[in-house]
Amino acid sequence: MGKKGIIKKAMEVGEIGFSKDGGAINWFPGHMAAATRAIRSRLKLSDLVIEVRDARIPFSSANQDLQPQLSAKRLVIALNKKDLANSNVLNKWVRYFDSCKQDCLPISAHSRSSVRKLLDLVELKLKEVISREPTLLVMVVGVPNVGKSALINSIHQIASTRFPLQEKMKRATVGPLPGVTQDIAGYKIAHQPSIYVLDTPGVLVPNIPNIEIGLKLALAGSVKDSVVGEDRIVQYLLTVLNTRGTPLHWKHLANPIEETTQISEDKPDYNPKDIRPKMKKLPDASDLLYVKDLVAEVRHALYVTLSEFGGNIEDENDMECLVEHQYEVLQKVLRIPHKSSESRLMVSKKFLTLFRSGKLGSFVLDDVPES
């Protein structure tokens, strides 16, 4: 199978050390081992747990080592980054969790209305103990980079208007890289009764169940790119898109727009900084048009390469040839010099930036299990 072949190649090289039946992750910092022990001890004291998962990988982003303990607690699964996930597939995942009698809610940690719905569900789940316990503890857990700290900050903002607080609220540290939160901190969000929310570090399991889950975690940013390698991550992503026929849904872009030619001439080299949101100033109309044009060109290139592909999508060698051809085309679209020694790495980084920012569209990488 073409997809299996790419996965096989992805595991052969790199520091992550996947094995056929699951293998040790060499990138397992000391703070993760210590955090795992601390999380286990605090889980025993928690009245409710919010397990934050990435909505694009609802199954793969679960910390399997903690599942036995989590299943014994009042648990709410928050599928964060729902804006980056295909809503139709995500709804199927919600129905799957419902069939398993598990509370699950898609959220966007940066949306107050979305987080309010989560808090309403948490209050409902705590209603049966809220009358007899003077202090309640809500614990937030999840693998790295699923948006736990962003959720904590949004809860603080809402709590400041909903509940009377005794002390100045703190903000959790938020960053784009896994491992930003490296300690367990408690934040009081309400009293009468007193309710505390614990923010915890993102913790990976010492062993990944299988290779494909490891690649999905890397693609979502839960493992540092340098551990697996941007090239291998993009090979996997392109293989998944090709296998599912996703680029064929971009047929309407067969004739890319030409009204932004002047912008392309003014900016001959695409840079990830042009794609990421600028914090100091809002993007002007030309910036938005420029990124829109870039996305259209990338999607058009993938559509053309797949639609003109004459090989067998299920054949390992044919799939490898298709992915190599797509790299060549993307290099031209992204204006990366052919002579550059790091051209392939540059293609991978820029393509990953587009995917992770949601510019290429919304995706759910985990297949929905049969309920």
Side-chain angles (χ1 to χ4, degrees):
M1 300 287 284
K3 184 177 177 183
K4 290 183 179 178
I6 293 293
I7 295 172
K8 177 181 175 183
K9 288 180 180 296
M11 79 170 185
E12 290 174 351
V13 185
E15 301 173 20
I16 203 162
F18 296 125
S19 69
K20 181 179 179 181
D21 299 314
I25 301 176
N26 291 337
W27 184 68
F28 191 72
H31 75 266
M32 280 195 182
T36 299
R37 292 192 295 271
I39 288 172
R40 289 186 183 280
S41 64
R42 285 164 175 77
L43 274 174
K44 298 175 183 178
L45 305 175
S46 62
D47 297 286
L48 183 142
V49 179
I50 300 174
E51 184 188 13
V52 186
R53 301 189 190 181
D54 191 312
R56 296 166 295 180
I57 46 175
F59 174 77
S60 298
S61 56
N63 187 320
Q64 296 298 335
D65 276 11
L66 293 179
Q67 292 308 307
Q69 274 188 278
L70 295 181
S71 62
K73 310 295 296 186
R74 294 180 186 86
L75 176 66
V76 173
I77 295 177
L79 299 178
N80 191 30
K81 305 183 182 181
K82 69 174 185 177
D83 52 313
L84 300 179
N86 181 284
S87 58
N88 292 329
V89 183
L90 190 56
N91 288 335
K92 293 180 181 179
W93 269 102
V94 172
R95 290 196 293 271
Y96 165 74
F97 283 115
D98 286 343
S99 70
C100 299
K101 309 299 182 184
Q102 172 57 61
D103 291 293
C104 171
L105 189 68
I107 67 165
S108 175
H110 297 288
S111 167
R112 288 197 181 190
S113 61
S114 181
V115 177
R116 283 192 187 99
K117 291 180 180 179
L118 177 63
L119 289 179
D120 290 342
L121 180 57
V122 168
E123 289 184 20
L124 180 63
K125 297 276 288 182
L126 287 175
K127 194 171 184 179
E128 59 188 63
V129 294
I130 207 169
S131 60
R132 63 176 185 267
E133 293 289 343
T135 301
L136 299 174
L137 182 62
V138 176
M139 196 165 184
V140 181
V141 300
V143 301
N145 208 34
V146 291
K148 301 179 304 300
S149 295
L151 174 60
I152 290 289
N153 289 337
S154 293
I155 290 175
H156 282 172
Q157 293 172 10
I158 295 171
S160 65
T161 59
R162 179 181 288 190
F163 304 112
L165 301 180
Q166 291 181 333
E167 55 187 84
K168 186 177 180 180
M169 293 183 302
K170 299 178 181 179
R171 288 179 60 85
T173 303
V174 178
L177 298 177
V180 170
T181 306
Q182 297 188 6
D183 195 5
I184 296 181
Y187 304 93
K188 187 173 184 179
I189 62 170
H191 42 237
Q192 296 181 355
S194 295
I195 300 178
Y196 287 84
V197 172
L198 289 188
D199 182 28
T200 61
V203 177
L204 283 172
V205 294
N207 296 283
I208 285 182
N210 62 57
I211 303 157
E212 191 163 7
I213 287 179
L215 289 169
K216 289 176 181 177
L217 287 169
L219 183 55
S222 294
V223 177
K224 290 180 180 178
D225 291 343
S226 58
V227 174
V228 181
E230 290 88 344
D231 184 13
R232 296 179 188 88
I233 299 173
V234 170
Q235 284 184 52
Y236 171 72
L237 174 57
L238 288 173
T239 302
V240 171
L241 296 180
N242 292 329
T243 302
R244 295 183 176 182
T246 301
L248 297 180
H249 296 292
W250 300 332
K251 184 177 180 179
H252 63 286
L253 295 175
N255 295 310
I257 55 177
E258 298 178 356
E259 57 192 65
T260 54
T261 304
Q262 184 62 44
I263 296 176
S264 297
E265 292 175 353
D266 293 339
K267 297 184 178 182
D269 295 321
Y270 289 122
N271 191 299
K273 293 181 179 179
D274 299 318
I275 303 169
R276 297 191 183 102
K278 295 178 175 63
M279 300 300 293
K280 294 184 178 180
K281 67 173 183 178
L282 294 174
D284 56 32
S286 64
D287 289 331
L288 295 175
L289 197 58
Y290 165 69
V291 174
K292 183 179 179 180
D293 184 36
L294 169 61
V295 171
E297 289 188 53
V298 168
R299 294 174 73 171
H300 168 252
L302 295 180
Y303 162 75
V304 171
T305 53
L306 182 57
S307 62
E308 296 180 350
F309 176 60
N312 180 3
I313 205 75
E314 300 295 341
D315 182 82
E316 177 181 333
N317 294 325
D318 286 356
M319 175 64 80
E320 186 175 357
C321 290
L322 173 59
V323 170
E324 287 302 311
H325 178 49
Q326 289 175 327
Y327 258 102
E328 294 174 2
V329 174
L330 287 173
Q331 185 172 347
K332 294 178 182 178
V333 170
L334 297 173
R335 313 295 197 271
I336 296 174
H338 284 273
K339 295 181 180 180
S340 172
S341 60
E342 296 185 351
S343 58
R344 192 176 181 88
L345 177 60
M346 294 168 66
V347 171
S348 299
K349 286 185 174 182
K350 293 178 181 181
F351 188 69
L352 276 177
T353 300
L354 283 174
F355 172 79
R356 289 170 176 168
S357 65
K359 296 292 191 295
L360 289 179
S362 54
F363 303 92
V364 175
L365 299 173
D366 278 341
D367 296 323
V368 182
E370 295 182 5
S371 56

